[in-house]
Amino acid sequence: MFEIMKKEYLSENIVLMDIKAPKLAKKAMPGQFLIVKVDEFAERIPLTVCDYDRKYETITIIYQIVGKSTEDMAALEVGDHFQDVVGPLGQMSEFIHEDIEELKKQKLVFIAGGVGTAPVYPQVKWFAEQGIEVDVIIGARSKDYVILEDEFRALTPNVYICTDDGSQGLHGRVTDMLSKLVAENKKYDHVVAIGPMIMMKFVALLTKELNIPTTVSLNPLMVDGTGMCGACRVVIDNEVKFACVDGPEFDGHKVDFDEAQNRLRLKKENKLEHGENKNCPIEHEEVTDPKKRANPRMLEATSRSKCFDEVNLGLTLDEAVREAKRCLECKNPRCVSACPVGIDIPGFIGELKDVEVGKSAEVLAKYTKLASVCGRVCPQEKQCEGACIVGIKNEPVAIGLLERFVGDWSLNHLEVSSTPKNGKKVGVIGSGPAGLAASAELATLGYEVDVFESLHKLGGVLTYGIPGFRLPKDVVNSEIGRIQKLGVNFHTNIVVGKTTTVDELLDEGYDAVFIGSGAGLPRFMGIPGENSVGVLSANEFLTRVNLMGGNKADYHTPTTIGKKVAVVGAGNVSMDAARVAKRLGAEAHIVYRRSEEEIPARHEEVEHAMEEGIEFNLLTNPVEVIADETGQVTGLKCVKMELGEADESGRRRPQAVEGSEFIIEADTVIMSIGTMPNDLVTGTTKDLELTRWNTIQTIENKETATSREGVFAGGDIVTGAATVILAMGAGKDAAHEIDEYIKGKN
């Protein structure tokens, strides 16, 4: 918890707060921002760091009360706490990296508008500390909204005030003041403008005429802070950038301000009112033939499409035992070699046959600490069940359903305890599947383990990515709770690469570090209109619902989608996005350029989506997002495709059918075509070799060891976007390679 040490109203609706945040205060620099969250129900609010005090371990924020979230912030008083504060985020001001003597030869002017005055302050303060005098222009609607004037005058004698109504200083805009100063023979080498988007736009237009290089801060676009949602994307010199990772500061003459301004708008008039159905009937076709595969109980399709409860309800004990008896317990079980974590599948199923559920759970626990998760989301049909001998002439044994049954029993009945520690400690970056698997295995091997998670909740993609109707959050939390009982320490709101770094962790005495931070940056197609209002990444959309409770009335994060939603892609994430949109009341379409046979999502997820009324536009490829004059999405222009020869993946390559263009009506487009790693961790770790895809390169003859001694990596940060179970397998491999490394070193 983060205590409020000071609170002051700078005007009627502008508030200053000092917050105790030791790690953030230690690392913050001018130009960076942070995320605050009042409580469980609140939004994550991005705010630029106004000041920091390393001695007293506080950071200063200034915000304007403009809605429910900031009203809740303003209701807090000195001594109260924010639930979450994370940062510093974004890049520090570009001037920090420049030669001080060269800077002293330049004349800079900072232009601050409204609450944008706050992020200007630490930059001007930094210049003053370097002995460099700068000019400052402060613009506001009236004298009542002029803030930090005295603080700026303490740093520089050249502070110029202008107000829209003329109540203080020049009667006019900041551009009028800049024009006036230039006309008075003030010569500026650089302009820094921070404030409302429209203000920065007109400053950039003026400085372009005056031929003065200009930096602007696109902090108004911030949403998350780590690039995972893609909501802050902006076009800079015709190239898409993420403001929270690549910025927030950019060359003002290269910013498409009109597009950026459009991205600030939410289309509220089409907000869907959905009532969640809490009375979904259960469907179940009982199987009595011992040779046939068991059918799990399911929520009825039409009813469940308005319900976020888990769809697949699993097997009863009798059904699980009957299904277990279908297993042949092969002497050379192909299912085990097909399992990325090497579970003794015949072993745990054999105990279940004899109704020894406890013994079955003990066998399973030797190989996985996330059985309830894996039983629900692993693509068993492509792994263990795909290799099952029974499946050659019959349906394969339902290994996933059996793993889930035993895993769920374990959550309630199987005791876990910590292993005596060996005096060595390991840092794990990320609490997703790879990080959880690695930390659990390391703890079992006797290591003290600290897991660092950038978000305010644990679980990574298991929490923010997979909806509760497929993977209930209480299951994820229970699995994590059991890992905590093994002695693993979890730390939220720690962005490795910003709050701390891999190098610093090693310097602090960690014997090894495992990077399991995933591949969080969403991919976009790069087609015309893709930055229109109403185009989201699947990451952003699912995070707003799964992590931030955007589907719940008592949570404050908006999840505003239109009545017709087109989801581009056909992986598991695409199915999740379409099925969530359906539950929010929208008509949802899957748009995929290949045929049903090539759909990469699990067969069960595709089947469920179809049952729930998701429309599939197959052999269809988007070529343009259509928008109206306000920039709001109205449709998706597509072409029909046909399949040609197989490509390097073995799937037939889709080719456009000439003259087949058509438009799918849509007011929301969700891009779900994969993710890629960001460089928060890799860009701040010395001597870490990367691939051409910006993933971490592991060294020859090792699964997870990297070019940096003591640093290991696994999961999506190494392979690119893949499955939960592959990430878990990498985490487990890493634990044993780390164990071997530390023992060899000592």
Side-chain angles (χ1 to χ4, degrees):
M1 302 289 278
F2 300 85
E3 186 176 0
I4 298 169
M5 311 303 293
K6 175 184 176 181
K7 179 182 178 183
E8 177 184 351
Y9 277 86
L10 303 181
S11 74
E12 182 182 2
N13 66 345
I14 298 178
V15 183
L16 176 149
M17 284 180 171
D18 287 350
I19 304 171
K20 190 81 168 181
K23 288 184 171 62
L24 203 160
K26 178 182 177 182
K27 300 297 288 288
M29 293 295 286
Q32 293 185 300
F33 68 100
L34 52 83
I35 300 276
V36 297
K37 190 171 182 290
V38 173
D39 56 28
E40 167 65 22
F41 304 98
E43 285 186 84
R44 288 165 62 90
I45 302 294
L47 296 167
T48 307
V49 175
C50 176
D51 202 3
Y52 44 87
D53 190 315
R54 307 208 198 281
K55 178 180 178 182
Y56 292 101
E57 300 182 322
T58 61
I59 51 96
T60 302
I61 59 172
I62 292 177
Y63 58 92
Q64 188 170 5
I65 304 171
V66 292
K68 172 64 176 172
S69 296
T70 44
E71 286 173 1
D72 290 347
M73 288 170 60
L76 299 176
E77 301 295 342
V78 171
D80 290 336
H81 296 78
F82 282 92
Q83 177 180 287
D84 302 288
V85 177
V86 58
L89 301 166
Q91 303 297 326
M92 64 185 72
S93 174
E94 59 188 338
F95 300 110
I96 307 294
H97 304 289
E98 294 189 19
D99 183 84
I100 299 298
E101 295 306 314
E102 289 299 315
L103 279 178
K104 288 179 178 179
K105 299 174 185 177
Q106 300 180 37
K107 186 63 177 177
L108 282 80
V109 58
F110 285 83
I111 301 178
V115 185
T117 306
V120 166
Y121 177 75
Q123 301 200 39
V124 174
K125 181 180 177 182
W126 182 86
F127 273 90
E129 290 170 347
Q130 313 310 314
I132 303 172
E133 187 178 285
V134 299
D135 289 5
V136 177
I137 298 173
I138 300 175
R141 282 183 288 164
S142 70
K143 65 179 182 180
D144 295 331
Y145 293 93
V146 175
I147 62 174
L148 302 181
E149 179 184 357
D150 292 342
E151 287 82 355
F152 278 112
R153 292 195 186 281
L155 299 174
T156 175
N158 305 318
V159 178
Y160 305 93
I161 308 294
C162 57
T163 52
D164 295 352
D165 64 358
S167 55
Q168 182 177 350
L170 177 71
H171 185 176
R173 315 279 185 182
V174 293
T175 47
D176 298 323
M177 178 62 83
L178 179 60
S179 296
K180 180 176 182 292
L181 293 174
V182 171
E184 293 171 355
N185 291 321
K186 283 269 192 179
K187 297 189 183 299
Y188 294 114
D189 299 294
H190 204 107
V191 170
V192 178
I194 306 179
M197 198 72 73
I198 193 70
M199 182 211 86
M200 293 188 289
K201 172 184 175 179
F202 282 101
V203 168
L205 289 172
L206 175 59
T207 57
K208 194 168 187 178
E209 290 179 14
L210 298 172
N211 199 31
I212 306 174
T214 299
T215 297
V216 297
S217 177
L218 300 185
N219 53 9
L221 289 175
M222 302 301 185
V223 175
D224 172 71
T226 62
M228 63 176 283
C229 72
C232 67
R233 63 190 185 280
V234 63
V235 176
I236 308 292
D237 202 19
N238 296 317
E239 185 179 350
V240 174
K241 299 284 188 181
F242 294 97
C244 66
V245 174
D246 302 310
E249 294 184 352
F250 296 98
D251 184 337
H253 297 158
K254 296 180 178 179
V255 175
D256 187 333
F257 284 101
D258 292 335
E259 189 170 78
Q261 182 68 38
N262 276 340
R263 292 201 59 74
L264 292 176
R265 296 190 296 109
L266 280 173
K267 189 174 176 63
K268 295 181 180 178
E269 58 267 29
N270 275 351
K271 185 168 184 178
L272 301 173
E273 297 297 332
H274 69 284
E276 187 167 351
N277 182 6
K278 283 295 184 181
N279 297 302
C280 299
I282 297 172
E283 292 184 332
H284 184 223
E285 184 181 338
E286 188 173 359
V287 175
T288 56
D289 185 340
K291 293 183 178 180
K292 288 190 174 181
R293 180 181 169 115
N295 285 325
R297 292 159 296 142
M298 298 276 187
L299 295 186
E300 189 274 325
T302 302
S303 300
R304 76 182 186 229
S305 66
K306 294 182 179 179
C307 173
F308 281 84
D309 288 347
E310 186 172 19
V311 169
N312 186 331
L313 301 178
L315 304 176
T316 64
L317 174 60
D318 287 344
E319 289 169 335
V321 171
R322 190 183 304 127
E323 182 64 22
K325 289 178 178 178
R326 296 179 67 233
C327 177
L328 301 177
E329 295 187 63
C330 307
K331 291 184 178 179
N332 296 303
R334 302 193 311 179
C335 55
V336 174
S337 57
C339 174
V341 294
I343 292 173
D344 179 5
I345 294 169
F348 93 83
I349 291 180
E351 297 291 356
L352 190 55
K353 279 184 183 182
D354 298 329
V355 202
E356 296 285 358
V357 184
K359 291 181 179 179
S360 177
E362 290 173 0
V363 173
L364 195 56
K366 293 177 183 178
Y367 299 91
T368 176
K369 303 300 186 289
L370 295 166
S372 288
V373 169
C374 290
R376 286 169 167 83
V377 302
C378 285
Q380 290 98 358
E381 67 272 20
K382 297 178 182 177
Q383 293 171 166
C384 54
E385 293 180 14
C388 177
I389 293 292
V390 175
I392 295 175
K393 293 184 177 181
N394 205 332
E395 289 185 284
V397 175
I399 299 169
L401 287 171
L402 297 180
E403 180 183 13
R404 168 190 167 152
F405 176 84
V406 177
D408 287 356
W409 185 93
S410 300
L411 293 180
N412 297 311
H413 300 94
L414 187 65
E415 290 295 322
V416 296
S417 59
S418 61
T419 303
K421 300 307 173 193
N422 59 19
K424 304 297 180 182
K425 65 177 183 175
V426 180
V428 173
I429 301 170
S431 68
L436 291 174
S439 61
E441 198 72 14
L442 285 162
T444 303
L445 291 169
Y447 291 93
E448 181 183 340
V449 184
D450 288 295
V451 179
F452 302 98
E453 169 56 50
S454 64
L455 293 171
H456 60 282
K457 288 187 177 181
L458 301 170
V461 70
L462 304 177
T463 297
Y464 75 76
I466 303 177
F469 55 76
R470 197 152 73 86
L471 179 62
K473 300 311 158 206
D474 59 350
V475 170
V476 177
N477 294 335
S478 295
E479 296 274 41
I480 293 172
R482 289 169 63 80
I483 294 173
Q484 285 177 308
K485 288 181 179 179
L486 294 173
V488 175
N489 306 304
F490 289 95
H491 309 271
T492 56
N493 300 313
I494 303 294
V495 182
V496 177
K498 295 294 181 181
T499 316
T500 188
T501 66
V502 170
D503 295 336
E504 288 170 345
L505 292 176
L506 292 170
D507 289 343
E508 289 169 10
Y510 285 90
D511 296 280
V513 172
F514 172 69
I515 303 172
S517 52
L521 281 178
R523 294 185 184 275
F524 292 89
M525 293 185 71
I527 59 177
E530 199 169 21
N531 283 348
S532 302
V533 180
V535 180
L536 302 82
S537 71
N539 263 19
E540 176 186 356
F541 177 57
L542 292 173
T543 298
R544 284 176 175 270
V545 175
N546 300 333
L547 178 71
M548 301 303 299
N551 60 307
K552 300 174 184 176
D554 50 352
Y555 282 71
H556 304 153
T557 296
T559 306
T560 307
I561 60 171
K563 296 176 181 177
K564 294 184 177 181
V565 176
V567 178
V568 180
N572 290 323
V573 175
S574 310
M575 300 302 150
D576 289 342
R579 295 174 69 194
V580 168
K582 180 76 174 179
R583 282 160 171 76
L584 293 178
E587 174 188 307
H589 294 249
I590 289 287
V591 181
Y592 181 54
R593 62 182 184 151
R594 300 180 191 265
S595 70
E596 184 174 345
E597 187 179 340
E598 285 83 22
I599 288 178
R602 293 184 65 196
H603 175 72
E604 181 181 69
E605 305 310 320
V606 176
E607 188 177 75
H608 286 177
M610 289 180 171
E611 290 172 351
E612 291 166 9
I614 307 301
E615 297 189 32
F616 281 69
N617 296 88
L618 302 176
L619 290 171
T620 301
N621 195 44
V623 293
E624 181 180 357
V625 177
I626 307 298
D628 61 20
E629 64 279 359
T630 68
Q632 172 65 43
V633 171
T634 59
L636 189 63
K637 182 186 286 188
C638 301
V639 294
K640 283 292 184 183
M641 308 295 284
E642 58 186 7
L643 297 180
E645 298 298 319
D647 62 15
E648 60 276 4
S649 70
R651 297 182 297 176
R652 294 168 66 193
R653 189 186 302 276
Q655 301 168 339
V657 176
E658 189 175 346
S660 64
E661 287 189 355
F662 69 103
I663 293 175
I664 297 174
E665 285 188 21
D667 42 23
T668 302
V669 174
I670 298 175
M671 292 294 176
S672 179
I673 56 173
T675 55
M676 53 189 174
N678 66 38
D679 64 355
L680 282 172
V681 178
T682 58
T684 56
T685 304
K686 297 175 185 175
D687 304 323
L688 192 64
E689 186 178 341
L690 305 180
T691 70
R692 60 190 178 95
W693 299 282
N694 207 35
T695 55
I696 296 175
Q697 178 69 60
T698 55
I699 62 176
E700 191 175 355
N701 299 322
K702 293 290 182 181
E703 294 293 330
T704 65
T706 72
S707 57
R708 174 71 183 274
E709 185 180 352
V711 177
F712 298 76
D716 291 2
I717 192 68
V718 172
T719 62
T723 63
V724 167
I725 189 63
L726 287 175
M728 284 179 54
K732 189 174 178 181
D733 288 342
H736 290 282
E737 289 191 357
I738 289 170
D739 183 48
E740 181 184 350
Y741 163 76
I742 293 176
K743 286 178 176 176
K745 192 177 178 182
N746 292 280

